[in-house]
Amino acid sequence: MDKMDNSRFASLTLLKHSEHNYPTEPDSSPLEAFDNLYSSRDYVIEFDCPEYTSLCPVTGQPDFGHITLRYVPDKKCVESKSLKLFLYSFRNASTFHEEAVNKILDAVVELCKPRRAEVIGHFRPRGGIAITVKATYGGKIE
């Protein structure tokens, strides 16, 4: 496939448009992927998302965190704008930190079936305790 062949982006719907209709929950926020032109080798893609927010499912108070997604792609790569909107969709979602990190990992694995993946959530202290959650798929990423 010619590396300049833009037909491989035909399935991407969010990147083409100026999106103003932000999703209100993760289940209504689809992730999108594009073909990995370098699937014959291992390499690591890392997304650094320092502005994660969600709501405590018990108190309704806001929770703030820093999400890092690292993965070794296989045939598909996560499109970054769809990931941004997906993470934004947690803003009004009531979820525990452990659930959020695992939901993010599950969504990425379902979307692009990476060779390996990890999601790390560093959540800011509330009530004096900070929480870090790490979920992995397919083994350790160096």
Side-chain angles (χ1 to χ4, degrees), residues 23 26 29 31 47-54 67-69 80-92 100 104 119:
S29 182
L31 282 172
F47 291 104
D48 183 46
C49 313
E51 299 176 345
Y52 171 88
T53 60
S54 62
I67 301 292
T68 303
L69 163 62
S80 62
K81 184 174 181 180
S82 72
L83 178 64
K84 177 183 80 168
L85 293 172
F86 177 69
L87 293 175
Y88 183 89
S89 73
F90 282 85
R91 172 170 256 141
N92 296 313
I104 294 164
V119 175

Side-chain angles (χ1 to χ4, degrees), residues 109-134:
V109 169
E110 182 180 333
L111 172 73
C112 64
K113 296 165 186 50
R115 293 177 184 146
R116 293 180 298 287
E118 67 182 21
V119 175
I120 304 169
H122 295 282
F123 298 94
R124 305 292 181 254
R126 194 158 54 76
I129 298 177
I131 298 173
T132 298
V133 179
K134 179 178 180 180

Side-chain angles (χ1 to χ4, degrees), residues 10-49:
S11 65
L12 300 178
T13 62
L14 298 172
L15 189 58
K16 296 177 191 175
H17 300 92
S18 177
E19 183 62 49
H20 297 291
N21 296 317
Y22 295 108
T24 58
E25 60 180 324
D27 291 339
S28 67
S29 182
L31 282 172
E32 295 185 340
F34 59 91
D35 291 339
N36 178 12
L37 296 181
Y38 302 97
S39 61
S40 63
R41 70 172 69 123
D42 279 0
Y43 64 98
V44 177
I45 297 173
E46 179 172 318
F47 291 104
D48 183 46
C49 313

